[in-house]
Amino acid sequence: MGKSILIVDDERDLADTVAYSMEQEGWQTLVAYDGRTALELAGGHPTPDLVLLDLMLPDISGTEVCRTLRSQEHTKTIPIVMLTARNDEIDRVVGFEVGADDYVVKPFSVRELLLRVAAI
């Protein structure tokens, strides 16, 4: 079985496009369009090998999702890549402070995202 990636973004078209690209690279994908679903999927078994996480979600902020994942024993080591339109320095700093492993600003190159995921 290949590695799995959880894609969390309320922009369905973007989430589905990223999922398709990841699947082409051999990843098994899970997609969540809100924070609650993301936490449920991340806490399932098996846990995903990596999370792509938007900051601006309709119910729970991506920052809070990241903080929650980092606080739970079974999800605290999952690599998290923030994938967001928020590009101010303070947003990046907060993302790293709550536990993100990388931070990619929208719009982004799918090729660059694939390379960043591969690097992690």
Side-chain angles (χ1 to χ4, degrees):
M1 179 158 89
K3 291 193 170 202
S4 64
I5 189 164
L6 172 58
I7 300 159
V8 186
D9 201 308
D10 63 328
E11 295 179 49
R12 291 178 182 265
D13 289 343
L14 178 63
D16 294 343
T17 298
V18 170
Y20 176 80
S21 296
M22 292 297 160
E23 289 165 4
Q24 296 305 300
E25 295 296 313
W27 288 87
Q28 293 180 340
T29 59
L30 300 165
V31 179
Y33 304 110
D34 60 67
R36 281 190 176 79
T37 305
L39 290 172
E40 289 171 14
L41 291 173
H45 295 283
T47 57
D49 296 296
L50 189 135
V51 176
L52 293 178
L53 179 61
D54 185 16
L55 285 181
M56 296 180 285
L57 299 170
D59 56 351
I60 302 171
S61 73
T63 303
E64 193 56 39
V65 170
C66 185
R67 187 177 286 123
T68 300
L69 292 175
R70 290 292 182 242
S71 72
Q72 296 177 351
E73 189 63 34
H74 62 285
T75 59
K76 70 180 182 181
T77 61
I78 299 172
I80 298 172
V81 176
M82 296 286 188
L83 190 61
T84 181
R86 297 176 81 171
N87 64 353
D88 291 335
E89 179 184 4
I90 188 66
D91 295 317
R92 292 189 304 272
V93 168
V94 169
F96 287 120
E97 285 180 343
V98 297
D101 295 286
D102 200 355
Y103 195 101
V104 178
V105 177
K106 298 176 188 176
F108 57 88
S109 155
V110 173
R111 181 167 169 76
E112 179 185 356
L113 179 62
L114 292 171
L115 291 169
R116 285 176 179 260
V117 166
I120 291 177

